[in-house]
């Protein structure tokens, strides 16, 4: 997978302003590696099923304390692809992404929640069940639910569009869930996957 090309293709589109009528704002999430535990190239990424009960590209809604929805936050890609790309970026950043034919494990899962929300406080949340399969037998060898949550101070109406803040919070919530999964010592111990010091860095839009 060419992650540099992916970064260009999924560059953020323009974010629309908040108005008195209902809008749809389109955003791209991102993954920017920070502190992480390096690993060995044992993994490839499989399918992540969207179990949120939402439209495939809907992240959430902006509502004022009183009144209807005034903005709907949408993604350029289906959420299932965004989560898959996040895991691919994170594995690449850790040196854990294997060639397709050289992997020991496949990471797949279910997206239980991924949303942006604004009532009073801008809020982002992610909850993902991660399943690790043996690449040879396709048997599940590890499974666990990971989540991430970010919130900022109360939004002041008239201070500008809250959508950029929601995009950032949701990006970081998703990144937290992905990082907790890949850096989980219990997961690595149960799979007997090693670590190495070789640095990698793969920021990019999702």
């Amino acid at each position: 997978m060419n992650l540099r090309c992916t970064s260009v293709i999924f560059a953020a589109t323009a974010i629309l302003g908040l108005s008195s009528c209902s809008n749809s704002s389109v955003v791209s999430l991102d993954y920017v590696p920070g502190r992480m535990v390096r690993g060995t190239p044992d993994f490839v990424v499989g399918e992540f099923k969207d179990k949120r009960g939402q439209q495939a590209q809907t992240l959430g809604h902006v509502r004022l304390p009183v009144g209807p929805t005034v903005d709907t936050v949408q993604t350029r890609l289906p959420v299932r692809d965004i989560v898959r790309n996040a895991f691919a970026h994170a594995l690449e950043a850790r040196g854990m992404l294997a060639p397709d034919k050289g992997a020991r494990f496949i990471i797949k899962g279910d997206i239980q929640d991924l949303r942006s929300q604004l009532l009073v406080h801008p809020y982002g949340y992610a909850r993902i069940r991660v399943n690790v399969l043996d690449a040879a037998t396709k048997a599940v060898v590890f499974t666990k639910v990971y989540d991430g949550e970010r919130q900022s101070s109360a939004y002041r109406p008239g201070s500008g569009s809250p959508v950029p803040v929601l995009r950032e919070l949701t990006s970081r919530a998703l990144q937290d869930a992905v990082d907790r999964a890949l850096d989980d010592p219990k997961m690595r111990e149960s799979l007997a996957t090693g670590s190495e010091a070789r640095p990698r860095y793969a920021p990019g839009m999702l």
Side-chain angles (χ1 to χ4, degrees), residues 44-62:
V44 291
V45 184
E47 179 186 11
F48 280 83
K49 296 180 180 178
D50 189 349
K51 299 292 186 69
R52 301 174 305 143
Q54 294 277 352
Q55 301 251 340
Q57 290 170 246
T58 297
L59 275 183
H61 305 285
V62 176

Side-chain angles (χ1 to χ4, degrees), residues 3-198:
L3 297 178
R4 292 183 180 176
C5 290
T6 303
S7 300
V8 174
I9 293 170
F10 303 148
T13 60
I15 295 174
L16 305 179
L18 192 64
S19 72
S20 59
C21 60
S22 180
N23 288 323
S24 179
S25 295
V26 181
V27 301
S28 291
L29 305 187
D30 64 10
Y31 180 89
V32 183
R35 297 181 63 183
M36 65 188 74
V37 181
R38 310 287 177 185
T40 49
D42 293 328
F43 298 86
V44 291
V45 184
E47 179 186 11
F48 280 83
K49 296 180 180 178
D50 189 349
K51 299 292 186 69
R52 301 174 305 143
Q54 294 277 352
Q55 301 251 340
Q57 290 170 246
T58 297
L59 275 183
H61 305 285
V62 176
R63 292 183 173 92
L64 299 180
V66 178
T69 299
V70 294
D71 208 344
T72 298
V73 183
Q74 303 274 352
T75 55
R76 289 193 62 211
L77 295 175
V79 162
R80 64 180 180 271
D81 294 335
I82 287 173
V83 172
R84 186 182 188 280
N85 291 342
F87 273 92
H89 276 287
L91 287 168
E92 174 70 14
R94 289 164 171 76
M96 294 169 62
L97 191 63
D100 289 343
K101 295 183 179 180
R104 294 175 57 206
F105 303 107
I106 304 167
I107 290 185
K108 305 175 68 173
D110 298 324
I111 306 162
Q112 299 179 351
D113 205 348
L114 180 62
R115 71 181 187 268
S116 298
Q117 177 178 308
L118 172 62
L119 289 174
V120 176
H121 295 272
Y123 178 76
Y125 182 69
R127 181 178 175 87
I128 302 168
R129 174 167 289 282
V130 174
N131 301 317
V132 183
L133 282 64
D134 183 284
T137 67
K138 303 303 186 290
V140 176
V141 292
F142 184 85
T143 183
K144 187 175 177 179
V145 175
Y146 299 90
D147 61 6
E149 183 178 36
R150 294 292 183 100
Q151 178 174 289
S152 69
S153 57
Y155 170 71
R156 291 181 295 108
S159 61
S161 172
V163 175
V165 175
L166 290 170
R167 187 208 73 83
E168 176 66 16
L169 293 173
T170 309
S171 290
R172 302 289 74 77
L174 174 58
Q175 180 166 336
D176 289 347
V178 172
D179 287 350
R180 285 168 183 161
L182 297 185
D183 293 338
D184 185 351
K186 290 185 178 179
M187 183 271 284
R188 296 205 186 193
E189 182 180 355
S190 70
L191 301 179
T193 185
S195 14
E196 60 181 17
R198 182 175 53 181

